[in-house]
Amino acid sequence: MSGAQGRRFPPWVGVVLVTIALVALPFALMQAGTAWVRITNFAILFVILSIGLNIVVGFAGLLDLGYIAFYAVGAYVYALLASPFFGLHWPFWAILPIGALVACGFGVLLGAPTLKLRGDYLAIVTLGFGEIVRILLNNLSEPFNLTNGPKGISSIDPVSVFGLSLGGTTKVAGFAIPDAVKYYFLLIVLLVAVIVVALRLQNSRIGRAWEAIREDEVAARAMGIDTTRVKLLAFALGAAFGGVAGGLFAAIQGFISPESFVLNESVMVLAMVVLGGMGNVWGVVLGALLLSFAPELLRYTIEPAQRALFGKSLVDSEVLRMLLFGAAMVAMMRFRPAGLLPSAVRKRELARLAQDDNA
Amino acid sequence: MPEAAAPLLAAEGITRRFGGLAALTDVSFGIGRGEIYGLIGPNGAGKTTLFNVLTGLYSLDAGVFRLDGKTMGSVMPDQVATLGIARTFQNIRLFGNLSALENVMIGRHLRTRAGVWGAVMRTAATRAEEAETEARAHALLEFVGIGERANDMARNLPYGAQRRLEIARALATEPKLLALDEPAAGMNATEKQSLRRLLETIRASGTTILLIEHDMRLVMGLCDRVLVLNHGRRIAEGAPADVQRDPTVIGAYLGGTHREAATT
Amino acid sequence: MDTFLQQVVNGLTLGAVYAVVALGYTMVYGIVQLINFAHGEVVMIGCMVAFTVIVALASAGLPPMLVLALGALAAIAVCMAVGYGIERVAYRPLRNAPRLAPLITAIGLSIVLQHLALLVWGRSYIAFPQIIEVKLYRLGNAETSATISNVQIAIVVASAVMMAALLALVYRTRMGIAMRATSQNPAVAGLMGIDVNRTIAQTFLIGAALGAVAGVMVGAYYGIAHYQMGFMLGLKAFSAAVLGGIGNLAGAVLGGLLMGLIEAMGAGYMGDFTRVCTLDTLLPGFAEACASNPDASLLGSNYKDVYAFIVLILVLVFRPSGLLGERVGDRA
C-alpha cells in the first residue's frame, strides 16, 4: 500500500511536521483565549468517541444508537473511584482500564441477546439502553446513593501523570501552563494511540471479518466466520473505547451529571461518523472535528447574522446545530454515503487508474 | 474408483419441507474423494435447496449428512465451512466494496488465528500470518486467473471474474469439498471452456467438487457422476452418458410424464 | 383489590394507545422490513398540531366534540404529509441501499422533526386544553372503588374502531390485497401489476394517520405535550410490536395492550414490592435505609419507562418472533 508516486520527502518529514504543528497548536490557541484550548480538548474527546463508534457502525455495520451510554458508564466509574463521593481516590491509570472493562461488560450484556437478530433490533435496543442508563443515573440516589441523581458528582480528581497533576496551572520556566493545555497533550497522546489501534484493527484478520459481515452476512458465514461472536467483539470493543473516553471526560470536567449523556449526544457522535465516512478512520476524525467546532462557528456567525437581519436571535444556535446534524445525516446517506473522504479501497483504485493513464 | 472407497460426503434420506411443500424427499447419494459430482434437474427440482441444507442455511427435517464418515448433525453455516465444505452462490455474493484480494483474504479467516491483541500489538506471529495470508490470497487469485485484478473492488469486476473470485475465496478456506452453485451461469462459450479447465485443475490438486449446473454439455464433459433430482426426489444417478439415456431423466426434462416415470 | 382493577383500567387505556402506535410500526415493518424510526415523531407532531388547532378554536364557541374532531382531522392531515415525506426522503430513494442507510436517514429525520417542533412549539411542556369535562365513573359501590373516566372510555372505543377499520382495510379491500402482496414479495407484486411505490406510500400514510390519532389520545389522556414525547412513546410502542410479533397486525394490538398492562402494573406494584422496609431482612443496609426513609423503595414509579425495555430484551432473548409471529431472522 506504500509507494505512492511523486512523493518528494521521506515519510518521517511529515511525521515531524505534524508533531510540531500539534505541539504548537495549544499555544497558538491560547492567544485567542484558553477557552479555545478547552473547546479543542472536547473536540478531541469526541474524535475518540467517534473512532470507537466507527468500529461498531463503520467497520461491522451495526447501528448503535445509545453509544453515549458507554461513555456515561466510563465517566461514572471514574467519578465514583476518584472523588470524595465515596472517598476513593484511585489513580487515573488504574481506573481507565476498569472503566473500559465495565463499559465492555455492558456491551456484551446488551449485544449477546440482540446480535443474533437483524440489525434493526440492535438499533432499537441500544436506543432504549441509552435512555435506561440515563434514567438509572437519575434515580440511583434512592434508597442507596450510587450516582447522586440529577445533582451529579463533583470534585472529581484531576489526572496526574508521573506525580504531575494536570489540574490547575503549572509554572514551567516562568510560563504559566493552564490545565487545559496539559490535558490537551494527554488527549493528543491518547488520540494517537486510539487511531493506531483502530487502523491496526481495521487492517487485520478481525477487521476484515467485520467488513465481510457488513458487506454480506450470509457470505461471511459461508466463509466460516462466526458472525455472532465477531459482531459481539466489535460491539464490546466499541463500548470499551466509549468507556475510556468517558473516564477522560469525567477527569477533565471535574463534574458529571446525567445531563451530559442524553440521546442527542448519541446522535451527534453518529452524525460525526456518518459525515466523515463510515468505516474510514481519517474520515471520521475529520467529521468529528468539523461537527465539534460547528456549534462554535454557528455561535460566531449565525447568531450575529440573525441579530443583524431580524434584530433578535430567532433560532437558538443549539437548535440549529441539531437541525444541521439531522439534515447532514439525511443528505450524506442520499448523496455521499461513503462520507466526505473516499475510502481506502477507492483511493487505491484511483491510484491504479492514474497509473494506467500514465502508461 | 469412487464407488469402492468410503465416500467423502454421504447423504442419507435428506428431507426438507417448506410448510406443506416437500422441497426434498428422502434424497440419498455419496460423493467419492476426488470426484467431480454433478447435481442436475429441471428448474425447481430442489438443487439449490439441497445446497442450502448441506451448507447449513436451512435446517433438515429428516436425514443425515456424513463428511469423512462423521455425522454433521444440524450445524450453522460457519461450522459447515470449518468442517471443510466451501460454497459459492447462484447469484454471486461477494463482499462488493472490498478488493478482490481482501475477499480472498477473508476466506482465510478460518485457517488463521490472530485476535484483537495480535492485531493491535502487531506481534511477530501476527505479521507473519498476515504476510502468509496475503501471499496465499495472491497465489489463489493467480490460480483462478485474475491475479492482475487483485486491487479492484469486487463489484467492479466483470461477471466472469466475479465467478472466479468467488471460487478463489471458497478455495481459501481449504475445503475438502467445493460446492459450486451454477458457476457457469451467464458465461459465454470461451469462458465456460476456461472454467472447465479451472475446475479440472482444482480437482487435480485434490479437492472434491459438487456442482450444480444447467449447461448439459459442461456437466456431461466434466462430471464423473451426476445425480438427477426432480420434484425434490432422486430419479437417477450414475455416469453422465448413462444418465443421459435414462428414460426417466428424459421424461423429467421433457416434462409431462414425470410422475408416471418416477414411479415405474 | 381496587388498586388492581384501577391499574387494569389504566393499563388498558395506555395499552390501547400503544397498540395504535404499534400498528404504525408493524405495518411499515411488514411492507419494507425496516423500522420507521421517525414514527414516534409523527405521533408527537399529531399531538402538537391537535393542540394548536384546539387552542385556536377554543374561544370560537363551537361544541367541544367538534373542536376535538377538527383538531384530530388537522393532526391526521399534517401527519400524513409528514409520513409521506419520510417515505419519500428516507425510504424510497434508499430501497436498494444497504439497510443501514434508511435507518440512519430516518434517525436524522426524526432529529430534524423534533427540533422543528421545538422551534414551533417551544422547549417547555405544553398543557393540553381540557375542552371536554372529565367525568369519573365508579366501578363498584365503595368509596375506594376503581374509576374509569369518559376520556379513558373514549380512547379505548376510538382505538377499537380504528383497529377494526384497519383490519377491514387490509383484508377486505384492493388496497389491502396490494399491501399484503407487496409485503410478501415486492418484485412479484410489481409483476402482477401492483404499483409497489404507491402501495408502500399508502402504508406510510395509513401508519401516520394512526399515529396522529394516537397523538391526540395521548395529549387528551395525559393533558400535556412536549417536543420529545415521541421518543419514549415510540420506543414502547415498538417494543409492543416486537412483543406481539413484528409485521403482525393482531400481534401489535395484543402487544400494545400487554405493554400497557405491564407498565401500569409495574408502576402500581413494583414500588410496593421493592420497598426497603419489606426487604429489610434480606440484605444488610436495608434496615438502615428503612429507618431513614420508610417510603423508599428500589423500583419506584420513576422506573415505569424501564419495564417496556426489559420486556423488549426478554422477548428478543426468549422468543424473538414475538407472541404471534412466525418468521424470524435474516432471509438468506
Side-chain angles (χ1 to χ4, degrees):
Chain A
M1 257 177 284
S2 59
Q5 283 83 37
R7 185 187 273 165
R8 262 166 272 159
F9 304 103
W12 61 264
V13 174
V15 174
V16 169
L17 287 177
V18 169
T19 310
I20 291 172
L22 286 177
V23 170
L25 182 66
F27 301 102
L29 286 173
M30 264 173 72
Q31 305 310 310
T34 316
W36 282 101
V37 184
R38 282 184 218 288
I39 291 168
T40 308
N41 285 351
F42 283 108
I44 298 173
L45 215 45
F46 271 96
V47 174
I48 295 177
L49 267 181
S50 305
I51 291 173
L53 182 62
N54 183 49
I55 293 180
V56 184
V57 179
F59 291 174
L62 307 165
L63 190 50
D64 183 346
L65 297 176
Y67 190 62
I68 215 72
F70 302 117
Y71 185 60
V73 167
Y76 270 86
V77 166
Y78 187 88
L80 293 179
L81 295 180
S83 75
F85 188 64
F86 283 150
L88 295 173
H89 297 281
W90 293 15
F92 175 73
W93 300 112
I95 308 176
L96 213 53
I98 296 175
L101 269 178
V102 174
C104 188
F106 274 101
V108 170
L109 273 181
L110 202 59
T114 7
L115 285 167
K116 282 183 290 213
L117 304 164
R118 289 181 43 141
D120 322 34
Y121 284 109
L122 182 75
I124 204 95
V125 167
T126 48
L127 189 67
F129 177 68
E131 197 57 17
I132 299 310
V133 164
R134 203 180 58 79
I135 293 176
L136 289 177
L137 294 178
N138 264 319
N139 289 299
L140 283 179
S141 51
E142 288 254 305
F144 303 102
N145 195 353
L146 191 63
T147 63
N148 212 21
K151 288 193 292 267
I153 297 173
S154 48
S155 307
I156 301 167
D157 299 349
V159 178
S160 113
V161 183
F162 304 120
L164 168 74
S165 170
L166 298 192
T169 306
T170 310
K171 287 236 183 240
V172 176
F175 287 103
I177 301 183
D179 55 345
V181 173
K182 288 183 283 180
Y183 276 120
Y184 168 87
F185 286 110
L186 174 71
L187 283 166
I188 284 290
V189 169
L190 286 170
L191 175 65
V192 170
V194 163
I195 290 177
V196 167
V197 167
L199 286 173
R200 286 186 167 187
L201 278 173
Q202 184 177 23
N203 251 311
S204 74
R205 172 173 172 270
I206 302 292
R208 283 191 299 271
W210 286 335
E211 289 178 321
I213 290 171
R214 184 191 69 201
E215 292 289 315
D216 187 329
E217 200 167 332
V218 173
R221 298 192 78 179
M223 292 299 105
I225 295 171
D226 182 345
T227 50
T228 306
R229 225 180 96 168
V230 171
K231 283 197 274 186
L232 193 57
L233 190 61
F235 198 65
L237 275 175
F241 274 61
V244 168
L248 286 167
F249 172 70
I252 295 175
Q253 183 95 326
F255 163 76
I256 56 167
S257 76
E259 279 297 288
S260 306
F261 310 105
V262 292
L263 172 71
N264 279 352
E265 302 283 314
S266 284
V267 171
M268 198 162 79
V269 183
L270 181 65
M272 290 168 177
V273 173
V274 169
L275 183 72
M278 289 181 285
N280 179 346
V281 175
W282 295 112
V284 167
V285 172
L286 177 69
L289 287 176
L290 280 178
L291 290 192
S292 296
F293 285 108
E296 309 307 323
L297 291 176
L298 290 176
R299 194 171 301 154
Y300 289 99
T301 54
I302 302 294
E303 294 266 307
Q306 287 189 60
R307 262 177 245 286
L309 280 173
F310 310 111
K312 59 178 177 170
S313 174
L314 289 176
V315 181
D316 181 20
S317 67
E318 167 66 16
V319 177
L320 196 65
R321 176 177 70 138
M322 289 313 291
L323 280 172
L324 281 179
F325 284 1
M329 280 156 81
V330 174
M332 291 304 288
M333 283 295 107
R334 180 78 180 271
F335 301 110
R336 217 180 151 84
L340 292 175
L341 286 183
S343 81
V345 176
R346 241 164 276 172
K347 234 183 287 171
R348 254 176 276 161
E349 233 190 20
L350 292 175
R352 198 185 59 84
L353 284 176
Q355 241 174 308
D356 290 353
D357 283 349
N358 293 341
Chain B
M1 165 205 67
E3 298 287 274
L8 174 71
L9 179 78
E12 290 160 21
I14 300 302
T15 301
R16 166 74 201 195
R17 284 179 288 271
F18 291 106
L21 185 80
L24 290 171
T25 311
D26 197 23
V27 175
S28 301
F29 60 92
I31 303 177
R33 239 166 277 273
E35 256 191 319
I36 298 184
Y37 191 87
L39 180 57
I40 64 171
N43 281 324
K47 303 183 297 284
T48 295
T49 306
L50 183 62
F51 247 56
N52 286 342
V53 291
L54 172 64
T55 53
L57 279 180
Y58 299 160
S59 61
L60 276 172
D61 289 319
V64 66
F65 285 109
R66 275 183 241 283
L67 186 69
D68 254 346
K70 282 195 281 286
T71 307
M72 284 170 66
S74 66
V75 285
M76 305 301 277
D78 51 289
Q79 293 167 310
V80 171
T82 317
L83 291 173
I85 300 179
R87 70 170 290 175
T88 65
F89 295 86
Q90 193 175 335
N91 36 3
I92 307 175
R93 300 190 81 141
L94 288 165
F95 307 120
N97 290 313
L98 305 181
S99 70
L101 185 70
E102 283 167 313
N103 268 271
V104 184
M105 287 173 82
I106 288 165
R108 295 294 304 157
H109 183 88
L110 201 52
R111 307 294 166 203
T112 45
R113 289 278 67 89
V116 171
W117 181 253
V120 171
M121 290 297 142
R122 284 275 152 97
T123 56
T126 307
R127 274 178 313 201
E129 188 181 277
E130 276 292 294
E132 203 220 324
T133 303
E134 198 173 331
R136 279 218 189 209
H138 271 299
L140 276 167
L141 287 173
E142 291 292 338
F143 179 73
V144 300
I146 52 170
E148 77 286 0
R149 310 301 295 259
N151 288 326
D152 289 13
M153 228 195 280
R155 66 183 164 125
N156 292 346
L157 291 176
Y159 189 76
Q162 292 196 357
R163 289 259 176 229
R164 286 162 178 274
L165 177 54
E166 238 196 340
I167 293 174
R169 188 181 66 177
L171 285 174
T173 67
E174 295 176 32
K176 293 172 186 158
L177 178 69
L178 178 64
L180 305 173
D181 196 348
E182 296 197 27
M187 285 186 172
N188 63 31
T190 332
E191 287 172 324
K192 278 180 187 171
Q193 265 313 309
S194 70
L195 175 72
R196 180 178 165 169
R197 281 194 299 275
L198 173 63
L199 296 186
E200 276 166 350
T201 325
I202 292 172
R203 184 250 294 271
S205 71
T207 306
T208 310
I209 296 176
L210 168 62
L211 180 70
I212 294 184
E213 191 45 68
H214 268 304
D215 184 318
M216 278 308 135
R217 199 142 28 126
L218 186 69
V219 171
M220 295 305 160
L222 188 63
C223 296
D224 302 305
R225 286 187 306 144
V226 293
L227 170 72
V228 192
L229 290 181
N230 192 26
H231 291 279
R233 290 172 190 276
R234 166 186 162 137
I235 58 170
E237 192 206 35
D242 300 336
V243 166
Q244 223 168 356
R245 282 193 298 271
D246 190 318
T248 329
V249 176
I250 296 169
Y253 271 89
L254 296 177
T257 58
H258 50 267
R259 288 236 166 76
E260 297 85 323
T263 46
T264 48
Chain C
M1 198 52 222
D2 290 314
T3 325
F4 179 76
L5 190 59
Q6 188 62 60
Q7 295 305 341
V8 169
V9 169
N10 294 348
L12 286 179
T13 314
L14 206 53
V17 177
Y18 290 160
V20 174
V21 183
L23 282 171
Y25 278 108
T26 229
M27 284 184 73
V28 166
Y29 194 93
I31 207 153
V32 292
Q33 270 80 49
L34 285 166
I35 297 171
N36 179 5
F37 271 111
H39 190 56
E41 266 49 69
V42 172
V43 178
M44 177 271 292
I45 286 175
C47 184
M48 293 295 196
V49 169
F51 157 80
T52 303
V53 171
I54 291 170
V55 167
L57 296 178
S59 51
L62 296 168
M65 284 311 285
L66 181 64
V67 172
L68 193 62
L70 287 175
L73 282 177
I76 291 173
V78 172
C79 286
M80 284 174 93
V82 172
Y84 184 71
I86 292 169
E87 200 269 332
R88 284 308 293 260
V89 173
Y91 290 88
R92 188 177 300 186
L94 299 169
R95 210 170 287 158
N96 298 314
R99 213 154 49 196
L100 216 52
L103 295 185
I104 289 175
T105 312
I107 284 290
L109 272 183
S110 88
I111 293 298
V112 169
L113 289 173
Q114 251 185 45
H115 288 85
L116 286 178
L118 192 162
L119 285 181
V120 177
W121 287 286
R123 196 181 283 277
S124 40
Y125 284 86
I126 300 169
F128 208 83
Q130 297 283 344
I131 52 164
I132 295 172
E133 197 186 332
V134 178
K135 290 199 186 98
L136 291 177
Y137 305 101
R138 192 160 285 154
L139 302 170
N141 301 320
E143 273 293 295
T144 56
S145 291
T147 57
I148 184 165
S149 75
N150 53 351
V151 173
Q152 287 180 308
I153 295 172
I155 287 175
V156 172
V157 170
S159 306
V161 168
M162 277 195 298
M163 290 169 205
L166 182 68
L167 286 179
L169 183 119
V170 171
Y171 288 99
R172 294 268 185 275
T173 65
R174 284 175 62 86
M175 196 208 258
I177 293 173
M179 283 175 183
R180 283 182 289 142
T182 306
S183 76
Q184 286 296 315
N185 188 332
V188 174
L191 290 175
M192 296 294 118
I194 290 169
D195 185 340
V196 173
N197 278 337
R198 201 183 133 121
T199 305
I200 293 177
Q202 283 167 344
T203 310
F204 273 84
L205 285 174
I206 294 169
L210 290 171
V213 180
V216 179
M217 297 196 295
V218 174
Y221 186 43
Y222 287 117
I224 175 173
H226 187 238
Y227 79 100
Q228 282 182 329
M229 67 189 273
F231 169 62
M232 244 315 153
L233 190 64
L235 195 62
K236 288 176 186 171
F238 176 80
S239 306
V242 172
L243 172 63
I246 193 129
N248 184 318
L249 296 181
V253 174
L254 177 67
L257 292 176
L258 281 175
M259 193 60 86
L261 284 173
I262 290 167
E263 189 180 318
M265 294 297 166
Y269 287 105
M270 282 310 276
D272 286 342
F273 284 152
T274 58
R275 197 183 296 275
V276 280
C277 294
T278 54
L279 299 172
D280 57 357
T281 49
L282 288 179
L283 277 173
F286 277 49
E288 292 155 42
C290 173
S292 66
N293 180 3
D295 285 333
S297 68
L298 290 179
L299 296 169
S301 58
N302 293 341
Y303 290 97
K304 72 178 168 58
D305 289 342
V306 178
Y307 302 122
F309 180 73
I310 293 172
V311 170
L312 176 64
I313 295 274
L314 290 178
V315 173
L316 292 182
V317 173
F318 294 107
R319 196 177 160 85
S321 57
L323 296 174
L324 302 183
E326 292 147 32
R327 204 158 34 106
V328 71
D330 264 294
R331 301 173 179 184

